[in-house]
Amino acid sequence: MSLYPRQRVLRTFGVLWHCNKSRDLSYPHTTRRKCLCCEKCHHLARHLLSYSSHWSCSGRFLLGTILDNCRFLHDLFPSLNPAECLGSVCPPATPAQYAVFFFGLYLIALGTGGIKPCISSFGADQFDDTDPREKVKKGSFFNWFYFCINIGAIVSSTFVVWVQENRGWGLGFGIPALFMALAIGSFFIGTPLYRFQKPGGSPVTRMCQVVVASFLKRNVVVPEDSRLLFEIPDKSSAIEGSRKLEHSDELRCLDKAAVVSDAERKSGNYSNLWRLCTVTQVEELKILIRMFPVWATGIVFSAVYAQLSTLFVEQGTMMNRSIGSFNIPPASLSCFSLISVIFWVPVYDRIIVPVARKFTGKEKGFSELQRMGIGLFVSVLCMSAAAIVENTRLRLARELDIVDKPVAVPISILLLVPQYLLFGAAEVFTCVGQIEFFYDQSPDAMRSLCTALPLLTVSLGNYLSSFILTIVTYFTTQGGNPGWIPDNLNNGHLDYFFWLLAGLSFLNMLVYIAAAKRYKQKKAS
């Protein structure tokens, strides 16, 4: 997530919990089928985030909540459930059951695409930027918004999963559906109190118009005086619901889209947006391009985040999971990252910000860019901690001469807690900073689209993690070697892989620092 990490969505209906448990042979193999289906669901959601950005926020939120309510219907009808497994033999599902199952997953994807990119921007729109007091409160809103998300995540990954395991999937899905229904009711009740941002049309269309217009006028000379570029004389922008943006000197090739040609000046026809764009419209595209380097650094951060539900869990399976008579499931350690977020949000908002404000003189304590940079640094510490713990585990495995045995090393799984806590702190700085940054720096009529950009890094980060793992596995298994990450981790070097990610995270942080220094804030009239 980045703001809405993939595994938290999966925890809402218990899939990730089962996916991690399926690694243990004592659990049914049918759970693997559910895990494989989830990837398609969330890749679809990433695309929906982009294509649905021109919807009004309230309409998309409402659609999302309605569609999310549909996910529990599958369990209300027993005929739609596949036959139970007999030992390790599982009868295949019927085509109708597969159809209903995937239909439910795609409904969740559609609902997710309606809610996620706009709920934070819609909430922030309720604060008036012209009011100094409300502007400060808006900074706190993003903190507590993320706090509430993690409260929901920890409830869904504990209580709801327990209900699904002990009382049935129908009730387990029904509880979230009930709360989604309550959310719809709450949404309607608050309608008279909302401040609505007027929809400005499709931002994708406006960007394409700038590209086409600048290409058609590629031979036109851009005047040195930016006041000669085309802009409507009114105080408001030609884009509905958006303030005018001041001209910037970067990417002057795009300014050609705002140059009034002799033919247009003679005819007095300035209505063809595919040949002539306003300065504000051109600046919208410039802002997105300026954001790109900052946005791209979030991909490596998300690749690190992917380890929480993958290799960190594998690492835990090869450690002593017993505390007295209680056996800790490795996947449940992810709760510590949620607890860390819940702890650090109020600490940051109530303690760190007031203290930092005295030194920086900024109302928010740190700028969004500074905050994100701190989070990237903490993520380096997280991967370093994971590497140190794994190195200690492997050293003990060699001392006990169990390198060739796929058995747990007698070292407590609780040693993994610090790396989860560290990443929880990194989330509070980086993920919340990303939401606030992309909201504040986006053009007024493109806030939903820009708020969706951090969500895209989650998907790309998972792809990057898989790509790195594939490359590492290919090169480290040459010559018959077991590689860094074999099936028997005692005979591998998972610590090397963690150090590799720590090094990539450090390099990513350096790139981010360079991009942050070069970044120029938007200027709205």
Side-chain angles (χ1 to χ4, degrees), residues 163-189:
V163 171
Q164 291 170 345
E165 285 290 299
N166 296 276
R167 295 294 183 266
W169 284 82
L171 181 59
F173 285 162
I175 292 174
L178 173 63
F179 279 98
M180 293 303 293
L182 294 175
I184 295 176
S186 174
F187 178 79
F188 275 118
I189 291 173

PDB file of all heavy atoms in Angstrom, residues 163-189:
ATOM      1  N   VAL A 163     -14.106 -15.913  13.192  1.00  0.00           N
ATOM      2  CA  VAL A 163     -15.500 -16.254  12.894  1.00  0.00           C
ATOM      3  C   VAL A 163     -15.573 -17.172  11.682  1.00  0.00           C
ATOM      4  O   VAL A 163     -16.310 -18.164  11.677  1.00  0.00           O
ATOM      5  CB  VAL A 163     -16.336 -14.975  12.664  1.00  0.00           C
ATOM      6  CG1 VAL A 163     -17.725 -15.334  12.132  1.00  0.00           C
ATOM      7  CG2 VAL A 163     -16.466 -14.170  13.949  1.00  0.00           C
ATOM      8  N   GLN A 164     -14.794 -16.860  10.655  1.00  0.00           N
ATOM      9  CA  GLN A 164     -14.801 -17.695   9.455  1.00  0.00           C
ATOM     10  C   GLN A 164     -14.322 -19.112   9.755  1.00  0.00           C
ATOM     11  O   GLN A 164     -14.852 -20.093   9.219  1.00  0.00           O
ATOM     12  CB  GLN A 164     -13.925 -17.062   8.376  1.00  0.00           C
ATOM     13  CG  GLN A 164     -14.502 -15.769   7.801  1.00  0.00           C
ATOM     14  CD  GLN A 164     -13.512 -15.030   6.928  1.00  0.00           C
ATOM     15  OE1 GLN A 164     -12.326 -15.316   6.953  1.00  0.00           O
ATOM     16  NE2 GLN A 164     -14.001 -14.074   6.166  1.00  0.00           N
ATOM     17  N   GLU A 165     -13.339 -19.223  10.626  1.00  0.00           N
ATOM     18  CA  GLU A 165     -12.776 -20.530  10.949  1.00  0.00           C
ATOM     19  C   GLU A 165     -13.697 -21.344  11.851  1.00  0.00           C
ATOM     20  O   GLU A 165     -13.795 -22.564  11.720  1.00  0.00           O
ATOM     21  CB  GLU A 165     -11.415 -20.359  11.647  1.00  0.00           C
ATOM     22  CG  GLU A 165     -10.290 -19.971  10.718  1.00  0.00           C
ATOM     23  CD  GLU A 165      -9.931 -21.117   9.801  1.00  0.00           C
ATOM     24  OE1 GLU A 165      -9.526 -22.185  10.285  1.00  0.00           O
ATOM     25  OE2 GLU A 165     -10.088 -20.941   8.586  1.00  0.00           O
ATOM     26  N   ASN A 166     -14.363 -20.669  12.795  1.00  0.00           N
ATOM     27  CA  ASN A 166     -15.107 -21.383  13.821  1.00  0.00           C
ATOM     28  C   ASN A 166     -16.625 -21.327  13.665  1.00  0.00           C
ATOM     29  O   ASN A 166     -17.325 -22.158  14.237  1.00  0.00           O
ATOM     30  CB  ASN A 166     -14.736 -20.813  15.203  1.00  0.00           C
ATOM     31  CG  ASN A 166     -13.282 -21.029  15.556  1.00  0.00           C
ATOM     32  OD1 ASN A 166     -12.893 -22.079  16.045  1.00  0.00           O
ATOM     33  ND2 ASN A 166     -12.449 -20.011  15.293  1.00  0.00           N
ATOM     34  N   ARG A 167     -17.142 -20.360  12.898  1.00  0.00           N
ATOM     35  CA  ARG A 167     -18.586 -20.231  12.755  1.00  0.00           C
ATOM     36  C   ARG A 167     -19.058 -20.319  11.311  1.00  0.00           C
ATOM     37  O   ARG A 167     -20.255 -20.289  11.052  1.00  0.00           O
ATOM     38  CB  ARG A 167     -19.055 -18.897  13.369  1.00  0.00           C
ATOM     39  CG  ARG A 167     -18.848 -18.792  14.864  1.00  0.00           C
ATOM     40  CD  ARG A 167     -19.721 -19.801  15.609  1.00  0.00           C
ATOM     41  NE  ARG A 167     -19.586 -19.652  17.048  1.00  0.00           N
ATOM     42  CZ  ARG A 167     -18.741 -20.358  17.807  1.00  0.00           C
ATOM     43  NH1 ARG A 167     -17.945 -21.254  17.216  1.00  0.00           N
ATOM     44  NH2 ARG A 167     -18.677 -20.175  19.091  1.00  0.00           N
ATOM     45  N   GLY A 168     -18.135 -20.369  10.382  1.00  0.00           N
ATOM     46  CA  GLY A 168     -18.516 -20.530   8.984  1.00  0.00           C
ATOM     47  C   GLY A 168     -18.238 -19.302   8.145  1.00  0.00           C
ATOM     48  O   GLY A 168     -18.208 -18.168   8.640  1.00  0.00           O
ATOM     49  N   TRP A 169     -18.033 -19.540   6.836  1.00  0.00           N
ATOM     50  CA  TRP A 169     -17.696 -18.456   5.918  1.00  0.00           C
ATOM     51  C   TRP A 169     -18.879 -17.547   5.638  1.00  0.00           C
ATOM     52  O   TRP A 169     -18.715 -16.367   5.346  1.00  0.00           O
ATOM     53  CB  TRP A 169     -17.166 -19.052   4.615  1.00  0.00           C
ATOM     54  CG  TRP A 169     -15.765 -19.553   4.749  1.00  0.00           C
ATOM     55  CD1 TRP A 169     -15.352 -20.740   5.260  1.00  0.00           C
ATOM     56  CD2 TRP A 169     -14.579 -18.854   4.378  1.00  0.00           C
ATOM     57  NE1 TRP A 169     -13.994 -20.845   5.240  1.00  0.00           N
ATOM     58  CE2 TRP A 169     -13.487 -19.690   4.692  1.00  0.00           C
ATOM     59  CE3 TRP A 169     -14.330 -17.614   3.799  1.00  0.00           C
ATOM     60  CZ2 TRP A 169     -12.177 -19.325   4.460  1.00  0.00           C
ATOM     61  CZ3 TRP A 169     -13.018 -17.256   3.553  1.00  0.00           C
ATOM     62  CH2 TRP A 169     -11.963 -18.101   3.884  1.00  0.00           C
ATOM     63  N   GLY A 170     -20.087 -18.091   5.689  1.00  0.00           N
ATOM     64  CA  GLY A 170     -21.264 -17.249   5.441  1.00  0.00           C
ATOM     65  C   GLY A 170     -21.348 -16.124   6.449  1.00  0.00           C
ATOM     66  O   GLY A 170     -21.509 -14.951   6.090  1.00  0.00           O
ATOM     67  N   LEU A 171     -21.224 -16.461   7.749  1.00  0.00           N
ATOM     68  CA  LEU A 171     -21.250 -15.433   8.789  1.00  0.00           C
ATOM     69  C   LEU A 171     -20.006 -14.559   8.708  1.00  0.00           C
ATOM     70  O   LEU A 171     -20.069 -13.343   8.934  1.00  0.00           O
ATOM     71  CB  LEU A 171     -21.344 -16.096  10.169  1.00  0.00           C
ATOM     72  CG  LEU A 171     -21.401 -15.163  11.379  1.00  0.00           C
ATOM     73  CD1 LEU A 171     -22.615 -14.232  11.280  1.00  0.00           C
ATOM     74  CD2 LEU A 171     -21.430 -15.961  12.681  1.00  0.00           C
ATOM     75  N   GLY A 172     -18.868 -15.195   8.365  1.00  0.00           N
ATOM     76  CA  GLY A 172     -17.626 -14.430   8.272  1.00  0.00           C
ATOM     77  C   GLY A 172     -17.683 -13.373   7.187  1.00  0.00           C
ATOM     78  O   GLY A 172     -17.123 -12.286   7.347  1.00  0.00           O
ATOM     79  N   PHE A 173     -18.340 -13.667   6.057  1.00  0.00           N
ATOM     80  CA  PHE A 173     -18.521 -12.663   5.014  1.00  0.00           C
ATOM     81  C   PHE A 173     -19.678 -11.719   5.338  1.00  0.00           C
ATOM     82  O   PHE A 173     -19.695 -10.575   4.902  1.00  0.00           O
ATOM     83  CB  PHE A 173     -18.794 -13.340   3.671  1.00  0.00           C
ATOM     84  CG  PHE A 173     -17.570 -13.945   3.038  1.00  0.00           C
ATOM     85  CD1 PHE A 173     -17.693 -14.896   2.040  1.00  0.00           C
ATOM     86  CD2 PHE A 173     -16.301 -13.566   3.436  1.00  0.00           C
ATOM     87  CE1 PHE A 173     -16.575 -15.461   1.436  1.00  0.00           C
ATOM     88  CE2 PHE A 173     -15.176 -14.120   2.852  1.00  0.00           C
ATOM     89  CZ  PHE A 173     -15.308 -15.064   1.852  1.00  0.00           C
ATOM     90  N   GLY A 174     -20.663 -12.234   6.070  1.00  0.00           N
ATOM     91  CA  GLY A 174     -21.825 -11.412   6.392  1.00  0.00           C
ATOM     92  C   GLY A 174     -21.493 -10.250   7.296  1.00  0.00           C
ATOM     93  O   GLY A 174     -22.096  -9.172   7.180  1.00  0.00           O
ATOM     94  N   ILE A 175     -20.540 -10.422   8.209  1.00  0.00           N
ATOM     95  CA  ILE A 175     -20.170  -9.336   9.130  1.00  0.00           C
ATOM     96  C   ILE A 175     -19.599  -8.135   8.373  1.00  0.00           C
ATOM     97  O   ILE A 175     -20.053  -7.007   8.569  1.00  0.00           O
ATOM     98  CB  ILE A 175     -19.181  -9.862  10.202  1.00  0.00           C
ATOM     99  CG1 ILE A 175     -19.896 -10.846  11.133  1.00  0.00           C
ATOM    100  CG2 ILE A 175     -18.588  -8.706  11.004  1.00  0.00           C
ATOM    101  CD1 ILE A 175     -18.972 -11.523  12.127  1.00  0.00           C
ATOM    102  N   PRO A 176     -18.599  -8.330   7.483  1.00  0.00           N
ATOM    103  CA  PRO A 176     -18.142  -7.173   6.698  1.00  0.00           C
ATOM    104  C   PRO A 176     -19.240  -6.585   5.828  1.00  0.00           C
ATOM    105  O   PRO A 176     -19.322  -5.364   5.658  1.00  0.00           O
ATOM    106  CB  PRO A 176     -17.005  -7.753   5.839  1.00  0.00           C
ATOM    107  CG  PRO A 176     -16.562  -8.970   6.551  1.00  0.00           C
ATOM    108  CD  PRO A 176     -17.785  -9.523   7.199  1.00  0.00           C
ATOM    109  N   ALA A 177     -20.110  -7.454   5.278  1.00  0.00           N
ATOM    110  CA  ALA A 177     -21.196  -6.946   4.443  1.00  0.00           C
ATOM    111  C   ALA A 177     -22.137  -6.069   5.261  1.00  0.00           C
ATOM    112  O   ALA A 177     -22.629  -5.039   4.786  1.00  0.00           O
ATOM    113  CB  ALA A 177     -21.964  -8.106   3.817  1.00  0.00           C
ATOM    114  N   LEU A 178     -22.403  -6.461   6.512  1.00  0.00           N
ATOM    115  CA  LEU A 178     -23.257  -5.655   7.386  1.00  0.00           C
ATOM    116  C   LEU A 178     -22.643  -4.280   7.619  1.00  0.00           C
ATOM    117  O   LEU A 178     -23.329  -3.257   7.565  1.00  0.00           O
ATOM    118  CB  LEU A 178     -23.457  -6.388   8.718  1.00  0.00           C
ATOM    119  CG  LEU A 178     -24.186  -5.600   9.812  1.00  0.00           C
ATOM    120  CD1 LEU A 178     -25.611  -5.256   9.377  1.00  0.00           C
ATOM    121  CD2 LEU A 178     -24.203  -6.392  11.122  1.00  0.00           C
ATOM    122  N   PHE A 179     -21.345  -4.263   7.878  1.00  0.00           N
ATOM    123  CA  PHE A 179     -20.694  -2.979   8.127  1.00  0.00           C
ATOM    124  C   PHE A 179     -20.638  -2.126   6.865  1.00  0.00           C
ATOM    125  O   PHE A 179     -20.690  -0.899   6.939  1.00  0.00           O
ATOM    126  CB  PHE A 179     -19.288  -3.204   8.697  1.00  0.00           C
ATOM    127  CG  PHE A 179     -19.281  -3.492  10.167  1.00  0.00           C
ATOM    128  CD1 PHE A 179     -19.204  -4.791  10.636  1.00  0.00           C
ATOM    129  CD2 PHE A 179     -19.377  -2.467  11.092  1.00  0.00           C
ATOM    130  CE1 PHE A 179     -19.216  -5.065  11.989  1.00  0.00           C
ATOM    131  CE2 PHE A 179     -19.376  -2.722  12.449  1.00  0.00           C
ATOM    132  CZ  PHE A 179     -19.295  -4.036  12.907  1.00  0.00           C
ATOM    133  N   MET A 180     -20.506  -2.773   5.705  1.00  0.00           N
ATOM    134  CA  MET A 180     -20.552  -2.012   4.466  1.00  0.00           C
ATOM    135  C   MET A 180     -21.940  -1.406   4.263  1.00  0.00           C
ATOM    136  O   MET A 180     -22.083  -0.283   3.775  1.00  0.00           O
ATOM    137  CB  MET A 180     -20.192  -2.911   3.277  1.00  0.00           C
ATOM    138  CG  MET A 180     -18.752  -3.385   3.270  1.00  0.00           C
ATOM    139  SD  MET A 180     -17.551  -2.045   3.290  1.00  0.00           S
ATOM    140  CE  MET A 180     -17.844  -1.311   1.690  1.00  0.00           C
ATOM    141  N   ALA A 181     -22.983  -2.153   4.659  1.00  0.00           N
ATOM    142  CA  ALA A 181     -24.336  -1.614   4.572  1.00  0.00           C
ATOM    143  C   ALA A 181     -24.499  -0.416   5.512  1.00  0.00           C
ATOM    144  O   ALA A 181     -25.122   0.590   5.159  1.00  0.00           O
ATOM    145  CB  ALA A 181     -25.353  -2.704   4.912  1.00  0.00           C
ATOM    146  N   LEU A 182     -23.928  -0.524   6.704  1.00  0.00           N
ATOM    147  CA  LEU A 182     -23.964   0.605   7.635  1.00  0.00           C
ATOM    148  C   LEU A 182     -23.196   1.799   7.071  1.00  0.00           C
ATOM    149  O   LEU A 182     -23.578   2.957   7.286  1.00  0.00           O
ATOM    150  CB  LEU A 182     -23.367   0.192   8.987  1.00  0.00           C
ATOM    151  CG  LEU A 182     -24.155  -0.857   9.785  1.00  0.00           C
ATOM    152  CD1 LEU A 182     -23.379  -1.259  11.037  1.00  0.00           C
ATOM    153  CD2 LEU A 182     -25.531  -0.308  10.167  1.00  0.00           C
ATOM    154  N   ALA A 183     -22.111   1.507   6.325  1.00  0.00           N
ATOM    155  CA  ALA A 183     -21.337   2.593   5.718  1.00  0.00           C
ATOM    156  C   ALA A 183     -22.166   3.331   4.676  1.00  0.00           C
ATOM    157  O   ALA A 183     -22.096   4.561   4.571  1.00  0.00           O
ATOM    158  CB  ALA A 183     -20.064   2.030   5.074  1.00  0.00           C
ATOM    159  N   ILE A 184     -22.964   2.578   3.908  1.00  0.00           N
ATOM    160  CA  ILE A 184     -23.833   3.223   2.919  1.00  0.00           C
ATOM    161  C   ILE A 184     -24.838   4.127   3.612  1.00  0.00           C
ATOM    162  O   ILE A 184     -25.082   5.269   3.195  1.00  0.00           O
ATOM    163  CB  ILE A 184     -24.557   2.165   2.067  1.00  0.00           C
ATOM    164  CG1 ILE A 184     -23.539   1.385   1.230  1.00  0.00           C
ATOM    165  CG2 ILE A 184     -25.591   2.812   1.156  1.00  0.00           C
ATOM    166  CD1 ILE A 184     -24.160   0.252   0.433  1.00  0.00           C
ATOM    167  N   GLY A 185     -25.445   3.607   4.705  1.00  0.00           N
ATOM    168  CA  GLY A 185     -26.402   4.425   5.448  1.00  0.00           C
ATOM    169  C   GLY A 185     -25.769   5.675   6.016  1.00  0.00           C
ATOM    170  O   GLY A 185     -26.336   6.772   5.950  1.00  0.00           O
ATOM    171  N   SER A 186     -24.579   5.524   6.578  1.00  0.00           N
ATOM    172  CA  SER A 186     -23.860   6.678   7.115  1.00  0.00           C
ATOM    173  C   SER A 186     -23.529   7.679   6.022  1.00  0.00           C
ATOM    174  O   SER A 186     -23.603   8.895   6.222  1.00  0.00           O
ATOM    175  CB  SER A 186     -22.576   6.199   7.804  1.00  0.00           C
ATOM    176  OG  SER A 186     -21.786   7.284   8.226  1.00  0.00           O
ATOM    177  N   PHE A 187     -23.177   7.158   4.848  1.00  0.00           N
ATOM    178  CA  PHE A 187     -22.847   8.022   3.717  1.00  0.00           C
ATOM    179  C   PHE A 187     -24.041   8.882   3.319  1.00  0.00           C
ATOM    180  O   PHE A 187     -23.918  10.085   3.095  1.00  0.00           O
ATOM    181  CB  PHE A 187     -22.389   7.156   2.546  1.00  0.00           C
ATOM    182  CG  PHE A 187     -22.074   7.916   1.297  1.00  0.00           C
ATOM    183  CD1 PHE A 187     -20.871   8.585   1.160  1.00  0.00           C
ATOM    184  CD2 PHE A 187     -22.991   7.967   0.261  1.00  0.00           C
ATOM    185  CE1 PHE A 187     -20.585   9.283   0.008  1.00  0.00           C
ATOM    186  CE2 PHE A 187     -22.718   8.669  -0.902  1.00  0.00           C
ATOM    187  CZ  PHE A 187     -21.504   9.333  -1.028  1.00  0.00           C
ATOM    188  N   PHE A 188     -25.209   8.269   3.260  1.00  0.00           N
ATOM    189  CA  PHE A 188     -26.409   9.015   2.886  1.00  0.00           C
ATOM    190  C   PHE A 188     -26.791  10.032   3.954  1.00  0.00           C
ATOM    191  O   PHE A 188     -27.219  11.151   3.643  1.00  0.00           O
ATOM    192  CB  PHE A 188     -27.576   8.053   2.642  1.00  0.00           C
ATOM    193  CG  PHE A 188     -27.605   7.490   1.258  1.00  0.00           C
ATOM    194  CD1 PHE A 188     -27.485   6.124   1.043  1.00  0.00           C
ATOM    195  CD2 PHE A 188     -27.735   8.317   0.153  1.00  0.00           C
ATOM    196  CE1 PHE A 188     -27.509   5.596  -0.236  1.00  0.00           C
ATOM    197  CE2 PHE A 188     -27.765   7.804  -1.138  1.00  0.00           C
ATOM    198  CZ  PHE A 188     -27.652   6.441  -1.320  1.00  0.00           C
ATOM    199  N   ILE A 189     -26.648   9.663   5.216  1.00  0.00           N
ATOM    200  CA  ILE A 189     -27.023  10.577   6.299  1.00  0.00           C
ATOM    201  C   ILE A 189     -26.189  11.853   6.247  1.00  0.00           C
ATOM    202  O   ILE A 189     -26.689  12.954   6.506  1.00  0.00           O
ATOM    203  CB  ILE A 189     -26.858   9.876   7.662  1.00  0.00           C
ATOM    204  CG1 ILE A 189     -27.916   8.760   7.811  1.00  0.00           C
ATOM    205  CG2 ILE A 189     -26.986  10.877   8.812  1.00  0.00           C
ATOM    206  CD1 ILE A 189     -27.727   7.904   9.037  1.00  0.00           C
TER     207      ILE A 189
END
